[in-house]
Amino acid sequence: MLFVTLRDDPADAEIPSHKLLLRAGYIRRIGSGVYAYLPLMWRVLQKVSQIVRQEMNAAGGQECLLPQLQPADLWKESGRWDTYTKAEGIMFALKDRRDQEQALGPTHEEVITAIARDMIRSYRQLPQLLYQIQTKFRDEIRPRFGLMRGREFIMKDAYSFNIDEESLEKSYQDMHTAYCNILRRSGLAFRAVQADSGAIGGSASQEFMVLAEAGEDEVLYTEDGQYAANVEKAVSLPPEVEPSPFTSYEKRETPESQTIEKLCQFLKCSPTQVVKNVLYQTIFDNGTTVLVLVSIRGDQEVNEVKLQNELTKLAPKYGAKTVIKVAVPDAEDLKKLAVESLPLGYIAPDIAISIRDRDSDTTTATIDTIPDSVTRSVFDSNENPHKSAKDVAPRFLCLVDKTAVDLKNFVTGANESGYHVVGANWGEQFQLPELAVDVRKAKLGDRAIHNPEQTLQSARGIEVGHIFQLGIKYSIAMGATYTNEQGEEKPLFMGCYGVGVSRLAQAAVEQSYDQDGIIWPVAIAPYHAIVTIPNINDTQQVEIAEKLYAQLNQAGVETLLDDRNERAGVKFKDADLIGIPYRIVTGRAIANGKVEVVERKSRKSHEIAIAEVVSTLKQWMNEAMS
Ligand code: ATP
Ligand code: MG
């Protein structure tokens, strides 16, 4: 066996599971986000795949294998070519020798919809559920943590086709059940949570989170089990507003008060009485840059995923299809947009108007291009180095978060460095932005909407699965229809369902290890048992070990034999490191017709009669996997 373990932690691995998989010889890094699955890892991946396959088959799924090389035309039909190659830029795109654009599949909605369009004609053929287990390619911005976020990884993706919403909901529920079974059988502690639908589109979606400290996602949930959501999507009740101490409108000097905390200390007020105005810059896929001002209650933060979703909805008003980027502009961005003089930290909700007025000699408002329901002003500065390129003219878009709408006598910026105003009101000193949205970040300790007595708890999770109700988004875009019982042509309802097979395997390690190494759940361990010969020069030890090794494998207990010419201590260390659930040692006890059997997880050691090893292990395995 090609068996190489490392004593020390590899330098480039940050989280325990990544370090352990490298050290124990499961994976090798070949390039950024690209790994070789070595024989031990491949066995784990096949076990996970097998569990996934069984549960998908049990839910009526049909396994297939779709091409990884996908023609750009399909992605142009669905409207996702630009999003995936430019906006998110996550798709590897290439040109073939005929100069035709192609992509390496990051996901397969387009391919499967094209197939459904050709093959599904009638309601009699529905519902359908197809799935595949395959390598996906994604040019992730930050590939990291080994298999957790690779640029090439294994996914099970499934797609359902249904006649209507109701049937789709049924398929979605079936997948929910299948996913719970997959994770339970893989021996993982997990939670299903409400999720953001992101660029895939559609309505309902849930993520399956494996709970672990190193998880990239934050989950907010309530103890009563009634609510759990990814923080990107979570909603809650904000804390109550404290009554304002200010009764009349006034401009106040507030030196050194760029932050809410300092401001509140200085003015002796609560952050709930402040309207904070946060500046963002968004770039649409047609190149238009828009400055976005979000007015939100001072004690709250902006959820950038919710903000991006709101901005995506507005894209058509800017002649665009989607948002490429939302970010807080840095000094350089502000300079590029010729708004470097903004009084950062003292911005008022009507900044757009003031800036234009103040700089009116150098700006030209291009009013005719304003989508007027959403912008306050549009201007094109003469100082703008890109002034000939109209598409970079900054525009201000003012949004107000719902938390700031009902505030009375509030504090906010005065549009002048070192000054704020107090006792302000919407409709008096400031016009309330027309677009009131929920872009607020729910957080730990907030009251739950379904029951204000429940407060949100927080946990970290690794997203290993995601199920979506896509609805008719793709079937409309690509013309995938069927004929219903009444003879009418209707769009297919679709769902899509993904499991990160390689991510799940590593998540299992992240959830289960100790200072000596990996502790695999029995169901997905590469081998169930390892027979270790302490001294290979002792022929009796070798003989018994080889016999047990053969018997165990024959009985379906997948077993390794460590007959290397190494010290016993080295072999025990390696067995612990690679995390095989049961270690059988043909040591001193053989004098009494017994062997030592150690359970990796509990470290409990038992002396078991040689003749009973097979039956005992089979029993333990069954218990562990039930
Ligand atoms: P993430 O938010 O982590 O990037 P995603 O929302 O892009 O995930 P989906 O498109 O829903 O993921 O893909 C389905 C599943 O594939 C995910 O739940 C995850 O388990 C897995 N997955 C996605 N991206 C990667 C990756 N880069 N490396 C490994 N697994 C991944
Ligand atoms: Mg992703």
Side-chain angles (χ1 to χ4, degrees):
M1 182 174 182
L2 179 62
F3 184 75
V4 180
T5 57
L6 310 174
R7 195 154 312 173
D8 298 314
D9 279 340
D12 56 346
E14 293 165 71
I15 58 170
S17 56
H18 186 198
K19 290 179 189 170
L20 287 168
L21 289 177
L22 284 167
R23 271 187 58 202
Y26 281 80
I27 56 174
R28 286 305 276 203
R29 182 182 181 275
I30 300 299
S32 167
V34 177
Y35 288 83
Y37 310 123
L38 298 174
L40 286 174
M41 192 73 223
W42 186 238
R43 289 182 72 99
V44 174
L45 292 171
Q46 285 186 299
K47 295 234 170 136
V48 175
S49 300
Q50 195 52 19
I51 294 174
V52 169
R53 185 173 280 123
Q54 285 167 357
E55 293 300 330
M56 295 310 292
N57 290 346
Q62 307 154 73
E63 187 167 0
C64 60
L65 191 59
L66 305 172
Q68 284 161 310
L69 196 59
Q70 306 184 1
D73 288 348
L74 282 182
W75 288 78
K76 288 181 180 162
E77 274 189 62
S78 72
R80 286 207 297 183
W81 179 257
D82 286 341
T83 321
Y84 271 66
T85 57
K86 286 194 223 142
E88 297 207 346
I90 203 148
M91 188 156 68
F92 285 101
L94 57 117
K95 277 201 176 136
D96 64 19
R97 65 170 76 228
R98 286 179 198 80
D99 226 24
Q100 300 291 311
E101 283 175 308
Q102 311 279 346
L104 295 181
T107 178
H108 282 72
E109 283 79 14
E110 281 74 5
V111 170
I112 199 86
T113 307
I115 293 169
R117 171 173 66 191
D118 288 348
M119 297 182 68
I120 299 176
R121 298 258 165 265
S122 153
Y123 71 94
R124 288 193 202 86
Q125 292 168 282
L126 295 170
Q128 292 285 347
L129 177 68
L130 282 98
Y131 76 95
Q132 59 171 345
I133 299 174
Q134 181 200 53
T135 296
K136 295 278 187 274
F137 298 89
R138 292 187 184 180
D139 197 359
E140 297 280 355
I141 299 174
R142 233 172 278 109
R144 57 180 188 164
F145 301 158
L147 308 186
M148 292 287 193
R149 187 168 295 286
R151 297 201 301 163
E152 182 181 320
F153 60 95
I154 302 175
M155 195 203 286
K156 183 284 300 177
D157 46 328
Y159 305 88
S160 70
F161 294 94
N162 306 79
I163 53 164
D164 57 15
E165 193 104 45
E166 198 185 330
S167 167
L168 168 57
E169 272 163 29
K170 163 94 176 53
S171 294
Y172 182 83
Q173 274 317 317
D174 289 347
M175 285 300 102
H176 187 282
T177 308
Y179 278 38
C180 290
N181 291 344
I182 290 167
L183 294 173
R184 186 183 38 74
R185 285 183 56 192
S186 301
L188 296 165
F190 68 98
R191 203 180 265 281
V193 308
Q194 292 177 19
D196 179 60
S197 305
I200 279 197
S203 50
S205 107
Q206 276 171 302
E207 288 165 343
F208 288 77
M209 297 286 187
V210 166
L211 303 171
E213 270 315 303
E216 285 185 298
D217 288 286
E218 185 185 355
V219 172
L220 294 172
Y221 64 96
T222 53
E223 294 288 1
D224 64 1
Q226 299 295 302
Y227 185 76
N230 189 313
V231 69
E232 292 177 353
K233 168 86 178 177
V235 290
S236 64
L237 295 171
E240 300 281 4
V241 178
E242 288 176 38
S244 172
F246 307 106
T247 48
S248 58
Y249 180 72
E250 244 179 89
K251 181 167 157 185
R252 294 263 186 99
E253 189 170 3
T254 51
E256 309 276 308
S257 301
Q258 288 97 328
T259 67
I260 297 290
E261 198 191 345
K262 286 185 191 158
L263 174 68
C264 291
Q265 255 168 22
F266 187 83
L267 289 176
K268 300 196 172 44
C269 66
S270 145
T272 63
Q273 296 142 1
V274 178
V275 172
K276 152 167 98 174
N277 304 294
V278 193
L279 191 66
Y280 283 95
Q281 151 183 272
T282 183
I283 303 171
F284 289 104
D285 59 340
N286 60 358
T288 305
T289 300
V290 175
L291 283 171
V292 182
L293 193 67
V294 181
S295 298
I296 188 167
R297 213 172 80 186
D299 62 324
Q300 300 301 312
E301 301 297 326
V302 175
N303 175 331
E304 291 180 10
V305 174
K306 289 186 184 175
L307 177 60
Q308 175 150 356
N309 289 343
E310 292 299 333
L311 294 171
T312 304
K313 283 188 222 159
L314 296 173
K317 304 213 178 198
Y318 293 94
K321 272 191 264 166
T322 189
V323 169
I324 292 190
K325 182 177 153 191
V326 181
V328 173
D330 59 21
E332 202 175 303
D333 293 327
L334 294 176
K335 195 162 174 211
K336 230 194 250 166
L337 298 169
V339 289
E340 62 265 55
S341 58
L342 286 181
L344 296 177
Y346 298 93
I347 294 180
D350 62 352
I351 184 72
I353 292 164
S354 323
I355 284 283
R356 195 189 57 201
D357 290 350
R358 206 177 54 206
D359 295 351
S360 58
D361 50 334
T362 56
T363 60
T364 332
T366 50
I367 302 291
D368 54 347
T369 64
I370 307 177
D372 48 36
S373 65
V374 296
T375 39
R376 283 291 180 74
S377 76
V378 173
F379 62 94
D380 191 349
S381 167
N382 291 337
E383 284 153 20
N384 187 332
H386 304 286
K387 74 172 178 189
S388 56
K390 200 160 171 215
D391 58 8
V392 296
R395 302 150 175 231
F396 268 95
L397 164 61
C398 297
L399 302 177
V400 60
D401 180 74
K402 288 182 175 147
T403 50
V405 171
D406 294 326
L407 293 187
K408 304 268 182 290
N409 294 321
F410 55 78
V411 175
T412 196
N415 270 349
E416 187 178 339
S417 275
Y419 291 89
H420 279 85
V421 296
V422 302
N425 284 290
W426 297 116
E428 293 175 19
Q429 296 80 20
F430 300 104
Q431 197 185 322
L432 183 69
E434 275 168 53
L435 271 176
V437 288
D438 169 26
V439 290
R440 170 182 158 266
K441 202 176 199 168
K443 59 173 186 285
L444 172 72
D446 282 350
R447 294 166 301 156
I449 289 182
H450 74 277
N451 174 1
E453 277 167 21
Q454 293 279 324
T455 56
L456 297 187
Q457 314 287 311
S458 164
R460 300 224 56 99
I462 301 164
E463 178 203 325
V464 295
H466 200 166
I467 58 176
F468 286 92
Q469 289 181 27
L470 293 171
I472 55 176
K473 181 182 154 131
Y474 293 90
S475 38
I476 292 279
M478 298 180 66
T481 59
Y482 74 98
T483 310
N484 72 7
E485 251 185 292
Q486 288 73 43
E488 300 155 337
E489 195 174 334
K490 294 278 175 192
L492 289 163
F493 277 75
M494 276 180 72
C496 74
Y497 318 93
V499 171
V501 170
S502 46
R503 185 184 284 182
L504 186 155
Q506 185 172 330
V509 178
E510 196 57 47
Q511 208 172 59
S512 180
Y513 65 89
D514 63 16
Q515 75 271 17
D516 296 323
I518 300 169
I519 305 172
W520 285 110
V522 176
I524 62 171
Y527 291 91
H528 302 129
I530 178 167
V531 179
T532 306
I533 308 170
N535 177 5
I536 60 153
N537 298 317
D538 180 327
T539 49
Q540 206 192 354
Q541 284 190 12
V542 174
E543 209 173 286
I544 292 171
E546 285 180 348
K547 209 161 142 198
L548 275 174
Y549 169 71
Q551 284 173 351
L552 284 163
N553 276 313
Q554 203 164 27
V557 181
E558 297 163 23
T559 305
L560 268 176
L561 177 66
D562 191 350
D563 57 357
R564 291 176 299 165
N565 188 6
E566 292 281 0
R567 280 180 293 118
V570 169
K571 295 194 229 185
F572 295 158
K573 264 203 152 59
D574 277 344
D576 281 350
L577 179 61
I578 65 172
I580 307 299
Y582 308 106
R583 183 176 80 213
I584 299 147
V585 187
T586 55
R588 243 171 262 131
I590 58 174
N592 310 320
K594 293 185 172 174
V595 289
E596 185 194 17
V597 183
V598 184
E599 190 195 17
R600 174 68 183 87
K601 191 168 153 195
S602 65
R603 300 180 163 284
K604 272 195 204 132
S605 161
H606 309 256
E607 287 203 345
I608 293 176
I610 293 169
E612 281 162 24
V613 170
V614 173
S615 59
T616 308
L617 280 192
K618 288 214 87 163
Q619 190 196 327
W620 289 358
M621 278 167 54
N622 285 338
E623 281 164 14
M625 289 193 281
S626 67

